[in-house]
Structures are given as structure tokens and as C-alpha cells.
Amino acid sequence: MTKRQIPQVIQEANVFINGIGYLGVTKNLKVPNLEFEMVEAKGALSTEYNTGMLKATEMEFKISRIDKNQFLALGLNAYSNRIPFLFKASIFQSGKGDPVPFSMAVTGDFKSFEISEFESGKEIEVSIKLSAHFLDINIDGVPMVVKDVENMICVIGGVDYMAKVRSNLGE
């Protein structure tokens, strides 16, 4: 008999930018989906097959503060260099003792930067969407996913699935 799994809870998540700027606590963080390109085989019994290629990775987060680091990153990112974001969270599971750390480093291109409508007495909300070219997700200090588009690296669960492809291409 399998033991019942206890749900995990995010206690809080902080956002940092460019290695130095603390942007605050994220109100909402959408960890990117890992979605594969598929090819359809048509016939009497059609199906889809995995191509071994990940689709473009998009992520979104919201924070309750406007900061000059956001605007600096927006400009630098669009016109000169990609700016890294770091997300750090604490994951708690009842009956499991201490909470474990979650971290996600993301570098990519800004897709959108949206500031909520100003309303007296209402909390500010800044929504940022990124197309992630680099993604590094760790839970309890263990690497879960590393996706590095520019260096053709795709590590999932500790296995580099692009190593043979890089070798085949002479890279």
C-alpha cells in the first residue's frame, strides 16, 4: 500500500534581479512549463510522438512594488544584455520537519512589463513576463532542471539529454 502524500505549501518567495537588486516578495510566480514539440503521424490510428525538442519557455511573476531596478533591467535587457532573475522560496510540508529551499534562476528576454492601474488605497501590482533562455530549478539544493538554450544544455533530473546532440554536432 502506498503512503498518502502530504501536500506542499509555499511559505514565501523572494525575487532578486541582476545579482544585487531585491525586488521583494512575489505575489505570484508561474514556474515555466516544460513542454515538448510533437510530430503527428497520421493514419487509421493517428498519434503524436515526442521530437526530443523542448518548446520555448515562458514565465510570469507579479510583485507589489515599483523599483528602479525593474526599469533598469527592462532597458538593459532589451538593448544590451540579458538580466538574470533569481527566485527563492521556502517549501513546507506538514510532518516533514524543516522547510526546504526552492530556487530558480532565469535569464531571458522581457515579453511584457505591466503596472496595474493606480487606485487610491490599492496595492500596486507589477506583472513581468519573460521568454526564458536559461532556466535552473533546484529543490532542497538538488538540481531538477537546467535549460540553457544558447549552450544547448537540457538537464532534467540529473541527466543531460543534449550531450549526445552536442557531440553529434561537434560542439
Side-chain angles (χ1 to χ4, degrees), residues 45-132:
L45 298 172
S46 296
T47 191
E48 289 184 319
Y49 293 100
N50 187 318
T51 63
M53 296 183 293
L54 282 171
K55 288 186 176 184
T57 306
E58 181 179 292
M59 66 151 313
E60 182 175 2
F61 63 97
K62 295 177 183 175
I63 52 179
S64 301
R65 126 180 212 188
I66 299 175
D67 185 284
K68 80 170 190 170
N69 286 313
Q70 295 165 356
F71 291 98
L72 179 61
L74 184 63
L76 287 172
N77 183 277
Y79 297 106
S80 65
N81 196 14
R82 292 191 180 101
I83 303 300
F85 287 86
L86 176 62
F87 302 87
K88 290 189 163 204
S90 183
I91 299 174
F92 178 77
Q93 189 169 4
S94 180
K96 295 290 183 182
D98 292 335
V100 297
F102 169 93
S103 69
M104 181 172 70
V106 178
T107 304
D109 289 328
F110 275 87
K111 289 186 86 168
S112 68
F113 180 87
E114 181 182 343
I115 300 172
S116 64
E117 185 176 320
F118 280 38
E119 187 177 323
S120 183
K122 187 176 178 190
E123 188 175 44
I124 290 174
E125 186 173 277
V126 177
S127 297
I128 297 173
K129 276 188 193 174
L130 296 172
S131 176

